[in-house]
């Protein structure tokens, strides 16, 4: 009997580790609806920046200060949604609205884009190409919209932060030598290592126990890896792991990596905070300038942060972006 209970205990610990749940003694507070702000900006919506091969136009929104007299630094926003849902309007919702206001009030232009969502046939490489094409659009339309190509950064949350980091960290793969170079990246609770996130190296015994105990989560994991990489983790494990590494921002960190701002909450149950800690450690090892802020008790999407915390996050984000901008009027 003792052996039996010992085996059960071991499997329980394995499953808990596999799910990357960090148990906290603190009580997680309920979601908070932040007060809406009185925003004062020019908004140009639904501008087509790309026509896809499926003849589905991809659009962007431009949030700009009023009465611009010179070109404005640009912050490109990439929304979250597990790579499969979400839209560009989310930049003006929840804590993001407070960041948006700080940026526009300080003469930044924020451009929020829609992009190709992944599925079983369409994988992450297409989404990454959309982001590059959005930057190309910014370059080509900088005169018309008073955009400063020499001062562009990228900001994302959750899966959007993952996409933003890949775009910022892998700029050497841009084909066009005239492509606008990103100066920095802002990462809100995004995955930095897909193989660690999905535990792609787990052995069959552990996976079987996980499948039996959490069949729904097991299937979501398998589906998400297939959608991102195009490979089945069960039958094409080697290829899936290789592609997951290719799609992991941490893979591309060198001493030349752009400065990075990181935010993460200790009660995040979707993307464990260890993902941001690994990222910060890699940046530190390569002596890359970065700032890393941990919000105690904050859940994924910062859905439960209070007004003071939202204002502080917005202030820190603006200060970081300002520090990486050559000139702001």
């Amino acid at each position: 009997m003792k052996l039996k209970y010992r085996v059960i205990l071991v499997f329980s610990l394995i499953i808990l580790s596999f799910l990357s749940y960090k148990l906290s003694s603190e009580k997680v507070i309920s979601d908070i609806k932040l007060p809406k702000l009185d925003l004062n900006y020019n908004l140009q919506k639904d501008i087509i920046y790309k026509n896809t091969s499926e003849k589905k136009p991809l659009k962007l929104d431009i949030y700009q200060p009023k009465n611009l007299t010179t070109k404005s630094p640009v912050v490109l926003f990439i929304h979250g949604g597990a790579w499969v849902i979400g839209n560009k309007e989310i930049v003006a919702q929840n804590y993001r609205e407070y960041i948006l206001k700080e940026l526009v009030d300080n003469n930044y232009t924020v451009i929020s884009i829609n992009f190709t969502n992944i599925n079983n046939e369409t994988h992450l490489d297409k989404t990454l190409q959309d982001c590059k094409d959005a930057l190309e659009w910014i370059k080509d339309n900088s005169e018309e919209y008073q955009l400063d190509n020499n001062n562009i950064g990228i900001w994302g949350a959750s899966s959007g932060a993952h996409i933003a980091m890949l775009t910022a960290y892998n700029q050497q793969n841009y084909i066009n030598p005239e492509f606008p170079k990103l100066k920095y990246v802002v990462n809100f609770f995004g995955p930095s290592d897909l193989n660690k996130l999905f535990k792609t190296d787990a052995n069959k015994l552990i996976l079987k126990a996980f499948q039996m105990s959490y069949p729904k989560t097991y299937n979501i994991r398998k589906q998400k890896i297939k959608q991102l990489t195009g490979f089945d983790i069960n039958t094409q494990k080697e290829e899936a792991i290789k592609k997951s590494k290719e799609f992991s921002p941490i893979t591309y960190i060198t001493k030349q990596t752009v400065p990075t701002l990181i935010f993460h909450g200790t009660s995040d149950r979707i993307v464990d905070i260890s993902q941001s800690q690994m990222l910060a450690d890699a940046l530190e090892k390569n002596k890359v300038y970065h700032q890393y802020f941990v919000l105690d008790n904050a859940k994924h999407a910062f859905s439960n942060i209070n007004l003071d915390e939202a204002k502080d996050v917005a202030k820190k984000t603006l200060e970081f972006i300002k520090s990486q901008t050559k000139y702001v009027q």
Side-chain angles (χ1 to χ4, degrees):
M1 291 296 291
K2 287 185 178 180
L3 178 60
K4 177 183 176 181
Y5 286 121
R6 194 172 298 170
V7 170
I8 292 173
L9 176 61
V10 169
F11 273 112
S12 298
L13 291 173
I14 289 172
I15 290 168
L16 287 173
S17 174
F18 188 99
L19 293 173
S20 296
Y21 283 170
K22 183 176 181 180
L23 301 179
S24 172
S25 58
E26 297 179 73
K27 181 181 178 181
V28 178
I29 60 176
S30 300
D31 288 353
I32 295 174
K33 187 175 182 179
L34 296 170
K36 293 293 291 181
L37 295 174
D38 183 17
L39 299 177
N40 184 30
Y41 50 62
N42 287 328
L43 172 58
Q44 300 181 72
K45 287 183 65 66
D46 296 326
I47 300 170
I48 296 174
Y49 74 89
K50 177 180 180 179
N51 284 299
T52 67
S53 56
E54 295 82 12
K55 303 190 184 305
K56 293 181 180 179
L58 294 176
K59 300 177 182 180
L60 56 80
D61 296 339
I62 302 178
Y63 299 79
Q64 267 187 323
K66 291 184 175 180
N67 305 316
L68 273 179
T69 58
T70 187
K71 287 188 175 182
S72 170
V74 178
V75 180
L76 181 64
F77 178 74
I78 312 298
H79 68 77
W83 302 279
V84 296
I85 58 173
N87 62 69
K88 53 188 171 56
E89 284 81 14
I90 201 172
V91 72
Q93 299 171 17
N94 196 23
Y95 74 92
R96 292 170 294 270
E97 183 182 23
Y98 289 74
I99 300 172
L100 177 63
K101 176 176 172 56
E102 288 284 0
L103 290 170
V104 175
D105 285 352
N106 284 271
N107 290 319
Y108 286 86
T109 291
V110 177
I111 297 179
S112 185
I113 67 170
N114 278 341
F115 45 82
T116 304
N117 293 325
I118 64 172
N119 54 45
N120 288 337
E121 287 73 42
T122 303
H123 312 300
L124 192 64
D125 47 2
K126 202 158 191 175
T127 305
L128 296 173
Q129 185 59 52
D130 292 341
C131 292
K132 294 177 183 180
D133 290 337
L135 288 169
E136 187 76 15
W137 183 93
I138 291 171
K139 176 179 75 69
D140 293 342
N141 293 273
S142 59
E143 294 297 327
E144 180 178 353
Y145 294 98
Q146 292 185 278
L147 308 174
D148 184 357
N149 283 338
N150 294 316
N151 282 301
I152 303 177
I154 191 166
W155 160 35
S158 192
S159 60
H162 168 255
I163 295 166
M165 286 188 288
L166 279 175
T167 302
Y169 291 169
N170 201 17
Q171 294 184 71
Q172 65 270 25
N173 286 342
Y174 292 160
I175 298 173
N176 189 342
E178 301 300 320
F179 214 85
K181 294 296 187 290
L182 295 169
K183 301 295 184 183
Y184 57 85
V185 59
V186 177
N187 160 32
F188 280 76
F189 41 82
S192 60
D193 188 326
L194 294 185
N195 281 309
K196 291 273 196 314
L197 181 73
F198 295 123
K199 303 292 190 296
T200 54
D201 62 348
N203 65 47
K204 291 182 179 180
L205 184 61
I206 294 175
L207 285 173
K208 191 64 178 177
F210 177 51
Q211 183 181 16
M212 292 172 61
S213 301
Y214 300 93
K216 184 177 179 180
T217 306
Y218 175 88
N219 289 331
I220 290 173
R221 167 188 176 269
K222 178 183 176 182
Q223 180 188 43
K224 196 63 63 180
I225 295 170
K226 176 67 181 295
Q227 290 175 336
L228 282 162
T229 69
F231 297 106
D232 187 313
I233 187 61
N234 292 340
T235 61
Q236 300 168 296
K237 185 172 181 177
E238 186 176 337
E239 294 92 337
I241 290 176
K242 182 179 179 181
K243 199 68 174 179
S244 293
K245 182 178 181 181
E246 181 183 329
F247 285 158
S248 293
I250 204 166
T251 300
Y252 302 98
I253 294 177
T254 67
K255 296 186 185 305
Q256 285 71 49
T257 294
V258 297
T260 302
L261 174 63
I262 309 166
F263 284 96
H264 215 122
T266 59
S267 293
D268 194 326
R269 299 290 184 256
I270 307 299
V271 178
D272 190 78
I273 196 171
S274 60
Q275 289 283 316
S276 284
Q277 187 60 58
M278 283 188 293
L279 177 66
D281 290 345
L283 293 168
E284 182 70 28
K285 181 179 179 180
N286 284 276
K287 295 181 170 56
V288 176
Y289 179 74
H290 65 284
Q291 295 179 9
Y292 177 29
F293 297 103
V294 174
L295 273 69
D296 288 339
N297 215 35
K299 297 193 290 187
H300 194 70
F302 286 0
S303 59
N304 65 337
I305 66 174
N306 61 38
L307 180 58
D308 288 340
E309 289 171 323
K311 288 180 177 179
D312 186 59
V313 166
K315 179 185 176 184
K316 285 182 169 69
T317 303
L318 174 65
E319 289 174 347
F320 172 84
I321 290 176
K322 270 190 169 184
S323 74
Q324 302 306 315
T325 304
K326 290 181 180 178
Y327 172 74
V328 180
Q329 186 185 16

